[in-house]
């Protein structure tokens, strides 16, 4: 093969290779690019430094427990009481702190490091549960200075019983409830009437629901928390209010309390019915003179004396009477119609709306308010024990009215 032919073959191969490479380049440049995702995990380590004061709850409780009681608690036992010993004394809890219906749950502690007080502060409480609400003496503890300061009046009574009971805020549950119930809305209705209206409107109410009543708890200074408790199905619930004792100012705290206040605010102006018998004047200062006219002569007879006393026990409770009156106002067509109900009509020997009292057993009398507003006769009843002047509601409505005006014992 001559040299010329060899060169032609080599040149042909080179040209062919150039063409192939060119085609490959064109294909590469014109085809859709493939996206390749490279996963890379970047792990950032966040180091949280725990505040050294945050886990010192047991130390705060120990400081409170070891604190010495400054005066005679008036109960049998140690001559030198510590706070820890005294709060666990059942006699002291019931006779001095006046917490009769609550059961102890023990010591509780909350770190207040994220409050304005600073990281070394704790709130310590000896818990006592009343139905579903926990109350109890409460202290503020500073672990730096080792100070233990009473936060509420119950703690003041524990630390210094003789001085603590002289506080204006000690044992004021009855006064707090009375002042709250007499809170007046623009239309004239009181909080007690609004509270009973709230329960009448509860469409989901169950026959087994139980009214538990008011638990009142002093929190600090002149402020109290008041919880009206009841059961809703199988669960306990409550309406929570804040009450300023000095200013007599009332503020709803939760949804249920706000709804009760809304009912009072939206109540239409109307005349309130009266269920007070004309023969009784609760404003008379001398109890024996409260019965008027022929009723006074009748009540002075030995055979009627206890019956009249049982009736007077209910009639003298102005908050209870007014609460019932506002509730019955919503059931009657008008105050005039209710007044007619209290007067015997033609052919009747007694009014359809009246008070009655009958002896149930020795010194126990059943007091009824009987009313018939056209839907049949109904009764609201209480049992009065004249020996100790205790009142026991008999039915759901009397229980609700009674619990609305009295704190839990």
């Amino acid at each position: 093969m001559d040299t010329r032919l060899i060169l032609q073959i080599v040149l042909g191969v080179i040209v062919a290779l150039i063409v192939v490479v060119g085609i490959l380049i064109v294909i590469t440049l014109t085809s859709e690019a493939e996206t390749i995702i490279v996963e890379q995990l970047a792990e950032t380590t966040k180091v949280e430094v725990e505040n050294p004061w945050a886990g010192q709850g047991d130390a705060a409780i120990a400081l409170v427990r070891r604190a010495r009681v400054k005066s005679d608690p008036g109960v049998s036992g140690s001559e030198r009481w510590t706070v820890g010993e005294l709060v666990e004394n059942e006699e002291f809890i019931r006779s001095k702190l006046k917490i009769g219906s609550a059961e102890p749950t023990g010591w509780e502690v909350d770190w207040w490091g994220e409050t304005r007080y600073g990281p070394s502060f704790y709130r310590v409480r000896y818990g006592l549960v009343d139905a579903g609400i926990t109350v109890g003496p409460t202290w503020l503890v500073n672990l730096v200075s080792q100070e233990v300061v009473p936060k509420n009046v119950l703690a003041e009574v524990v630390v210094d019983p003789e001085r603590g009971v002289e506080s204006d805020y000690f044992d004021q549950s009855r006064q707090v409830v009375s002042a709250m119930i007499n809170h007046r809305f623009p239309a004239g209705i009181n909080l007690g009437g609004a509270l009973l209206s709230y329960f009448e409107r509860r469409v989901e109410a169950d026959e087994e629901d139980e009214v538990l009543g008011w638990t009142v708890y002093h929190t600090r200074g002149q402020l109290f928390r008041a919880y009206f408790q009841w059961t809703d199905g199988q669960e306990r619930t409550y309406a929570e209010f804040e009450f300023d004792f000095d200013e007599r100012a009332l503020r709803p705290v939760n949804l249920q309390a706000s709804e009760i206040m809304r009912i009072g605010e939206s109540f239409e102006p109307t005349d309130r019915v009266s269920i007070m018998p004309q023969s009784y004047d609760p404003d008379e200062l001398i109890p024996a003179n409260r019965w008027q006219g022929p009723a006074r002569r009748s009540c002075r007879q030995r055979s009627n004396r206890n019956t009249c006393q049982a009736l007077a026990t209910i009639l003298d409770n102005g908050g209870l009477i007014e609460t019932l009156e506002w509730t019955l106002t919503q059931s009657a067509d008008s105050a005039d119609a209710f007044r007619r109900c209290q007067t015997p009509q033609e052919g009747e020997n007694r009014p359809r709306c009246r008070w009655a009292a009958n002896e149930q057993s020795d010194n126990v009398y059943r007091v009824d308010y009987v009313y018939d507003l056209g839907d049949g006769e109904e009764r609201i009843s209480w049992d009065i024990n004249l020996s100790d002047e205790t009142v026991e509601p008999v039915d759901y409505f009397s229980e609700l009215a009674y619990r609305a005006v009295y704190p839990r014992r």
Side-chain angles (χ1 to χ4, degrees), residues 336-378:
D336 288 337
F338 201 87
R339 277 191 287 270
R340 290 193 297 272
C341 171
Q342 295 172 312
T343 304
Q345 302 300 303
E346 185 177 351
E348 298 177 343
N349 58 7
R350 60 184 180 181
R352 288 179 287 113
C353 299
R354 63 191 183 278
W355 287 95
N358 297 282
E359 187 174 11
Q360 297 293 105
S361 60
D362 188 29
N363 273 339
V364 176
Y365 284 75
R366 172 71 53 86
V367 173
D368 302 295
Y369 188 74
V370 184
Y371 63 102
D372 183 351
L373 300 176
D375 298 322
E377 185 176 279
E378 297 187 56

Side-chain angles (χ1 to χ4, degrees), residues 210-344:
E210 182 182 2
V211 181
L212 302 173
W214 290 105
T215 293
V216 179
Y217 178 44
H218 178 254
T219 56
R220 70 184 189 280
Q222 62 201 49
L223 297 180
F224 287 78
R225 286 294 173 103
Y227 308 82
F228 190 81
Q229 302 186 71
W230 68 92
T231 60
D232 188 354
Q234 300 297 319
E235 297 183 0
R236 285 176 174 156
T237 188
Y238 56 84
E240 180 181 356
F241 298 86
E242 183 178 78
F243 182 71
D244 186 315
F245 191 84
D246 294 349
E247 300 296 330
R248 293 299 194 263
L250 181 66
R251 182 179 71 87
V253 175
N254 67 352
L255 180 63
Q256 290 83 351
S258 297
E259 177 62 16
I260 292 168
M261 296 291 283
R262 188 196 64 78
I263 290 173
E265 295 287 349
S266 62
F267 195 82
E268 293 293 333
T270 186
D271 290 335
R272 185 176 93 232
V273 304
S274 174
I275 61 174
M276 184 65 67
Q278 295 182 356
S279 60
Y280 194 80
D281 181 6
D283 296 326
E284 173 60 52
L285 296 179
I286 302 174
N289 293 338
R290 289 174 184 168
W291 290 104
Q292 307 293 305
R296 182 181 298 180
R297 292 191 298 272
S298 177
C299 287
R300 284 176 176 173
Q301 298 176 12
R302 182 181 296 274
S303 58
N304 296 329
R305 194 173 298 164
N306 286 349
T307 302
C308 294
Q309 183 182 347
L311 280 167
T313 302
I314 295 296
L315 297 176
D316 283 337
N317 190 321
L320 177 64
I321 295 297
E322 183 178 349
T323 295
L324 289 173
E325 287 176 340
W326 279 116
T327 305
L328 292 171
T329 296
Q330 299 174 73
S331 303
D333 293 334
S334 67
D336 288 337
F338 201 87
R339 277 191 287 270
R340 290 193 297 272
C341 171
Q342 295 172 312
T343 304

Side-chain angles (χ1 to χ4, degrees), residues 78-203:
S78 174
E79 293 184 0
R80 294 197 64 192
W81 292 90
T82 64
V83 165
E85 293 169 339
L86 195 54
V87 295
E88 295 173 358
N89 184 286
E90 184 177 344
E91 181 186 357
F92 179 79
I93 293 293
R94 300 190 185 283
S95 66
K96 288 294 184 179
L97 293 187
K98 309 294 185 182
I99 303 177
S101 57
E103 296 296 330
T105 58
W107 292 97
E108 306 169 356
V109 62
D110 294 315
W111 181 47
W112 276 25
E114 297 178 354
T115 68
R116 61 182 176 84
Y117 290 95
S120 63
F121 281 85
Y122 278 84
R123 183 191 72 101
V124 176
R125 177 170 71 180
Y126 186 76
L128 297 146
V129 64
D130 184 38
I133 300 298
T134 301
V135 299
T138 308
W139 293 265
L140 194 61
V141 178
N142 184 351
L143 293 180
V144 171
S145 64
Q146 302 285 286
E147 286 183 286
V148 175
V149 179
K151 186 175 180 292
N152 64 2
V153 71
L154 293 179
E156 291 176 10
V157 175
V158 174
V159 171
D160 192 347
E162 293 179 353
R163 183 178 179 182
V165 296
E166 296 176 356
S167 169
D168 292 338
Y169 307 119
F170 175 65
D171 194 21
Q172 295 287 9
S173 295
R174 182 77 178 270
Q175 287 76 5
V176 168
V177 171
S178 177
M180 289 176 56
I181 286 301
N182 288 319
H183 175 83
R184 196 73 55 185
F185 294 98
I189 188 173
N190 67 355
L191 181 67
L195 181 60
L196 266 65
S197 296
Y198 172 81
F199 278 87
E200 282 196 329
R201 300 180 187 189
R202 287 178 63 232
V203 295

